[in-house]
Amino acid sequence: MRPGEPMDRRDLIEWLRESDEARLEELWARADATRRVHVGDEVHLRGLIEVSNHCVRRCAYCGINVSNSEVKRYRMSAEEILACARQARELGYGTVVLQAGEDYGLTRGAVADVVRRIKDETGLAVTLSLGERSDEDLRSWRAAGADRYLLRFETSDQELYARIHPSLPGRLSDRFVLLRRLRELGYEVGSGVMIGIPGQTYATLADDLQSFVELDLDMIGVGPWLPHPVTPLGRGELPPAADSEQVPNTELMTYKVVALTRLLCPEANIPSTTALATLNLASGRELGLTRGANVVMPNLTPVEYRALYEIYPGKACIRETANECVHCLSGRIVRMGRQIGRGSGGRRRGRG
Ligand code: 5AD
Ligand code: FES
């Protein structure tokens, strides 16, 4: 298949298996050109606030899952969250992302309240990433002013989904229902997958990419799976796919998925993720941004909590303050000839 032609499942699998450097250069160039036409040269900064590391789930990949009794748990107060949001505004970000494990200690009322206060005081766009919550919770937060919601579906293979989410009463189909419901409620909706989880095949990953299109996602986050030693996946307890079928959790595979995502969903906001930066501290973020991505999510979590939000080990920027990160990132973006995005950087439909 030549660049420029539409892609079906077979083409996607072929690209995911591609190793020819010249062909890959074509893929990067095409993804970069598509990014420029549809979402422009602006790179939007989303300030990430990891508001709680409590979680009721037992996800087999995640270092803060409920069975990790080693990690000290924290939940930020409304005042602490608000202080981070003020800082985000001072640093020139357009959005704050409140992310946590699935923590029912973050009650409907408390979250609605903090969202309302952030909107009133700062006017920033608010993205929530708080897991699978009830319809009442999601409605109440939307009414309080939340603009966007992130919930990755992690894999489109039902059987693999069930294996890596042992404690979920919910199934993959429920998560898809929830993603559609979020759209009905008026949220901009984000989702995504991990790359290279044991058991993920090339065919599954191609299906994941096609699911992004079917769900008409506004935001799509993809990053490599990074083994955490306290988890069943990190300890190697779940079987990989057969040798030639198993997707590797590499930097290169991540760039391929970022680039293909841009080609399939030209208008989506696509972050160059922290997980990618973790694999290549020197230039992972930049390479993501030149191969399809247009968003970065600098960490705003107070330094005393950051190390406790250890979904995977070795996370990039764990010690840098918000201030250091924003200067480092802005410098990197400007040196690439791109601009820092202004405004909230929501999805613009139908341009280009
Ligand atoms: N490696 C990489 N990504 C992870 N996530 C959770 N645990 C890991 C890990 N070990 C991702 C999941 C989740 C998002 C917040 O972080 O995709 O949805
Ligand atoms: Fe955090 Fe560079 S982005 S220090």
Side-chain angles (χ1 to χ4, degrees):
M1 179 247 152
R2 305 293 310 158
E5 288 167 16
M7 280 181 288
D8 62 17
R9 188 167 185 264
R10 274 197 22 219
D11 300 326
L12 290 172
I13 295 175
E14 205 177 297
W15 274 120
L16 293 170
R17 289 183 177 279
E18 184 62 65
S19 59
D20 181 84
E21 289 205 5
R23 293 268 297 154
L24 288 171
E25 286 303 328
E26 286 178 60
L27 179 62
W28 313 145
R30 201 174 138 211
D32 200 39
T34 304
R35 186 270 307 153
R36 186 172 315 115
V37 169
H38 290 270
V39 294
D41 279 336
E42 292 193 335
V43 176
H44 298 283
L45 304 181
R46 323 287 202 203
L48 178 66
I49 314 175
E50 293 151 336
V51 296
S52 159
N53 72 347
H54 289 267
C55 191
V56 298
R57 303 289 193 186
R58 208 176 297 277
C59 306
Y61 44 85
C62 182
I64 60 168
N65 82 45
V66 64
S67 38
N68 182 1
S69 50
E70 307 279 289
V71 68
K72 190 173 144 230
R73 303 284 170 172
Y74 72 90
R75 185 179 297 122
M76 288 171 64
S77 68
E79 280 313 320
E80 288 174 310
I81 297 171
L82 225 77
C84 288
R86 286 186 200 113
Q87 194 182 14
R89 201 192 40 189
E90 279 155 26
L91 293 172
Y93 299 171
T95 301
V96 283
V97 182
L98 310 191
Q99 186 170 82
E102 199 163 300
D103 174 16
Y104 291 90
L106 293 170
T107 61
R108 182 186 310 160
V111 174
D113 212 49
V114 85
V115 169
R116 214 172 286 117
R117 290 177 67 190
I118 294 174
K119 298 296 293 186
D120 284 351
E121 265 202 46
T122 69
L124 294 176
V126 174
T127 303
L128 299 177
S129 178
L130 304 175
E132 290 190 21
R133 300 288 299 239
S134 72
D135 209 66
E136 291 74 22
D137 290 351
L138 299 172
R139 262 188 287 145
S140 147
W141 301 340
R142 176 78 190 124
D147 302 275
R148 310 183 186 132
Y149 205 94
L150 301 177
L151 181 66
R152 289 189 180 177
F153 60 83
E154 315 294 0
T155 173
S156 57
D157 175 339
Q158 299 214 37
E159 209 254 316
L160 179 58
Y161 183 90
R163 225 185 301 150
I164 64 177
H165 297 116
S167 72
L168 276 185
R171 293 177 309 243
L172 176 60
S173 54
D174 300 327
R175 195 160 281 202
F176 280 118
V177 168
L178 197 53
L179 288 168
R180 295 207 164 86
R181 178 66 185 144
L182 287 162
R183 156 82 25 83
E184 281 170 16
L185 292 173
Y187 285 98
E188 275 187 46
V189 182
S191 193
V193 298
M194 280 174 292
I195 296 158
I197 37 182
Q200 182 185 52
T201 65
Y202 287 92
T204 308
L205 188 49
D207 292 341
D208 295 348
L209 284 160
Q210 294 195 315
S211 299
F212 297 162
V213 181
E214 277 152 35
L215 289 163
D216 186 25
L217 297 171
D218 303 303
M219 303 166 281
I220 304 166
V222 297
W225 165 66
L226 299 166
H228 193 306
V230 306
T231 63
L233 274 182
R235 288 191 301 258
E237 288 168 12
L238 297 181
D243 266 359
S244 60
E245 293 301 320
Q246 173 64 49
V247 173
N249 59 338
T250 57
E251 201 188 334
L252 178 64
M253 189 57 64
T254 306
Y255 298 133
K256 290 184 194 176
V257 178
V258 168
L260 292 167
T261 300
R262 172 59 68 201
L263 296 180
L264 292 169
C265 307
E267 297 169 352
N269 281 317
I270 301 176
S272 189
T273 54
T274 306
L276 183 54
T278 300
L279 282 187
N280 178 350
L281 284 172
S283 56
R285 275 215 188 80
E286 282 92 331
L287 286 170
L289 289 172
T290 55
R291 295 172 176 181
N294 70 321
V295 167
V296 286
M297 299 174 69
N299 200 324
L300 272 182
T301 312
V303 172
E304 69 263 34
Y305 298 131
R306 268 202 218 172
L308 303 176
Y309 202 86
E310 197 191 52
I311 52 183
Y312 50 79
K315 218 160 120 192
C317 301
I318 204 92
R319 273 181 298 274
E320 285 77 4
T321 62
N323 227 322
E324 285 163 345
C325 268
V326 78
H327 285 111
C328 164
L329 276 174
S330 318
R332 288 169 184 242
I333 290 164
V334 170
R335 281 194 296 277
M336 292 170 65
R338 305 269 283 272
Q339 301 103 47
I340 308 291
R342 272 176 298 184
S344 70
R347 171 164 174 195
R348 294 172 293 180
R349 286 173 183 268
R351 282 171 86 247

